Amino acid sequence: MVRFSEEDKKTIWDMREAGVPVKRIAKHLGRQNSSLRKSIADAGGRRPSARERCELRLSFAEREEISRGAAAGLSFRAIARGTGRSASTICREVNANGGRAKYRALPADRRAQRRALRPKRAKLAQCRRLRNVVERKLEERWSPAADLGVVG
């Protein structure tokens, strides 16, 4: 993935909105215009809006607390009391990010941010096996209701 600093990203979008051609922006930044085009295309051609974390999601500080608690050998319930979250939330978070022995706050937070990005690729676009099954069932004019004995 092409990496630009926050300052470079601001410059790219400011110049792009001012109507400056991509080649000129790339030359101004000392980059290849192909990497700039990819970055713009990945953003859908529009300046990405500032990302704000929903308060319902775990914060980085909460993930650090979970990491310290797991390293200290505390139970999920004890960690949950300290963070004000439910024990099941703590359990899911730890298990989804390597388990007690491998849980680290920063990688877990980065994975969560990556998973939250939109738009996402459709399941059928991601998984060839699933797509093949769905296509085969559609060709057969299969219906889940037919398997359940429901008559339409």
Side-chain angles (χ1 to χ4, degrees), residues 70-142:
L74 296 177
S75 70
F76 290 147
R77 288 185 188 278
I79 297 170
R81 275 191 299 274
T83 61
R85 299 286 185 154
S86 73
S88 62
T89 299
I90 306 304
C91 181
R92 278 193 309 273
E93 172 71 11
V94 171
N95 290 337
N97 291 289
R100 283 181 176 274
K102 294 183 180 178
Y103 185 85
R104 297 293 177 267
L106 185 59
D109 196 59
R110 286 181 177 158
R111 279 192 289 274
Q113 285 183 336
R114 219 176 12 256
R115 285 190 305 266
L117 291 175
R118 299 289 188 269
K120 294 193 180 298
R121 281 185 68 207
K123 275 257 201 279
L124 295 179
Q126 292 183 77
C127 181
R128 180 178 295 159
R129 223 171 107 198
L130 176 61
R131 184 174 58 249
N132 291 338
V133 169
V134 169
E135 287 173 351
R136 190 175 66 248
K137 295 289 188 180
L138 287 172
E139 287 170 359
E140 296 171 2
R141 300 181 56 81
W142 175 83

Side-chain angles (χ1 to χ4, degrees), residues 6 10 37 50 58 105 142:
E6 291 303 313
K10 183 179 178 341
R37 287 185 196 283
L58 290 171
W142 175 83

